[in-house]
Amino acid sequence: MLPSYFFAHGAPSIVLEDNKYTNLLKHFKKDTPRPKAIVLFSAHWEEPVQTVSAAETYETIYDFGGFQDELYRMTYPAKSDLKLVEQIQLLFTKHGIGNVRNEKRGLDHGAWSVLKLLYPDADIPVIALSVNRHLPNEQQYQIGKALAELREQDVLIIGSGGTVHNLGRLNWRSQGVDEWAEQFDTWLQSKIESWDMESLFQYRELAPNAHAAVPTNEHFIPLLLAMGTGDANRKAELLHRSYQYGNLSLSCWQFN
């Protein structure tokens, strides 16, 4: 059974960078059995109803501005898998999760920037899934849990977001780490490793500096979704954590 993962996707330019975090992602396929498909929740796709992508071949969405020209020439023409789309929709329906299919939307940078580092050849089917910031945290977890059995079918499930993601507080010239960001991630690590979902569901009230770290929750949701897929075993491992621009966290969690 494949583990599931949470990957921070950082700034769009991460796909051009060479550091410890990007090296981890670039070597991922060497250390992980090749999946038959990838299911990815992206923080940059928000819908009021759980939506499942089903484009025959995905266009690449450049949902950012002001970055290197090279980024706007990159593509990730992965294909979908309609049988897997149908299975995902059946699983959601079985667990009482309303869902719809989208056959037109491409892959946003929350999806393709990570996938470009993990599997640059775009030769593995991809199913992108939306997030809904207005659902309770408990329900986010249950959405991930509904897909847990896909891991037994060699499907790689990924949540792509960021635990500390506050664009208004970035320091583009900083080489250090803001203490408030590190304090939040340290608290988060202790709760994830102990699988303390009661505290995690109440992170905004309990975690230090939560409102600074998570001013809006769309980037945090993919963590809860990914954790939900690991509910049966409840084993978490932090594979990497670093920071850019003072407080933008780059973390990778594995859920077995």
Side-chain angles (χ1 to χ4, degrees):
M1 181 170 67
L2 286 179
S4 52
Y5 293 87
F6 171 80
F7 291 109
H9 58 248
S13 55
I14 191 173
V15 73
L16 301 176
E17 295 168 1
D18 183 18
N19 53 49
K20 289 183 178 180
Y21 184 59
T22 59
N23 285 335
L24 172 72
L25 271 60
K26 290 173 185 176
H27 288 89
F28 180 82
K29 65 180 180 180
K30 297 180 181 179
D31 303 322
T32 307
R34 180 180 172 88
K36 77 170 189 179
I38 301 168
V39 172
L40 186 147
F41 290 94
S42 173
H44 287 274
W45 185 14
E46 294 188 58
E47 297 287 354
V49 177
Q50 181 62 61
T51 309
V52 184
S53 70
E56 183 176 350
T57 301
Y58 293 104
E59 295 182 357
T60 304
I61 301 174
Y62 307 103
D63 49 339
F64 49 83
F67 288 89
Q68 301 95 320
D69 291 343
E70 185 178 351
L71 284 177
Y72 302 92
R73 296 191 293 269
M74 286 188 171
T75 60
Y76 198 82
K79 297 183 181 299
S80 186
D81 180 329
L82 293 183
K83 288 185 177 180
L84 182 55
V85 169
E86 292 173 0
Q87 184 181 2
I88 290 170
Q89 290 195 273
L90 286 172
L91 286 172
F92 281 146
T93 300
K94 175 183 175 182
H95 289 85
I97 300 165
N99 62 92
V100 296
R101 184 183 302 193
N102 186 315
E103 298 175 345
K104 297 182 179 180
R105 193 179 191 276
L107 296 176
D108 57 65
H109 85 269
W112 69 259
S113 64
V114 170
L115 293 174
K116 190 82 170 176
L117 292 167
L118 296 174
Y119 298 101
D121 296 330
D123 57 353
I124 299 174
V126 174
I127 312 298
L129 300 176
S130 67
V131 301
N132 181 354
R133 73 169 72 189
H134 302 293
L135 298 178
N137 291 327
E138 294 88 342
Q139 194 168 342
Q140 309 285 4
Y141 186 82
Q142 293 301 320
I143 290 172
K145 187 177 177 180
L147 301 182
E149 68 182 65
L150 296 178
R151 296 172 52 198
E152 300 174 3
Q153 303 168 28
D154 296 326
V155 174
L156 176 64
I157 303 177
I158 295 172
S160 174
T163 56
V164 180
H165 188 275
N166 188 334
L167 301 184
R169 299 192 65 169
L170 295 185
N171 181 347
W172 295 93
R173 297 181 180 180
S174 175
Q175 299 297 316
V177 182
D178 292 341
E179 184 177 1
W180 62 266
E182 199 164 30
Q183 287 176 346
F184 175 80
D185 267 340
T186 298
W187 180 93
L188 193 62
Q189 180 179 350
S190 70
K191 303 308 178 185
I192 293 173
E193 290 177 341
S194 61
W195 215 276
D196 181 356
M197 298 313 304
E198 183 177 352
S199 294
L200 286 171
F201 291 156
Q202 301 179 67
Y203 74 92
R204 292 192 71 82
E205 293 76 33
L206 300 179
N209 312 305
H211 290 271
V214 189
T216 57
N217 66 344
E218 75 285 345
H219 278 75
F220 192 86
I221 290 168
L223 173 67
L224 297 175
L225 293 163
M227 285 192 75
T229 69
D231 181 77
N233 295 328
R234 298 192 167 197
K235 295 181 179 179
E237 181 180 358
L238 180 62
L239 301 183
H240 178 91
R241 187 170 75 211
S242 59
Y243 297 85
Q244 292 183 308
Y245 317 123
N247 53 66
L248 183 64
S249 63
L250 299 178
S251 55
C252 172
W253 280 97
Q254 175 178 294
F255 304 111
N256 294 306

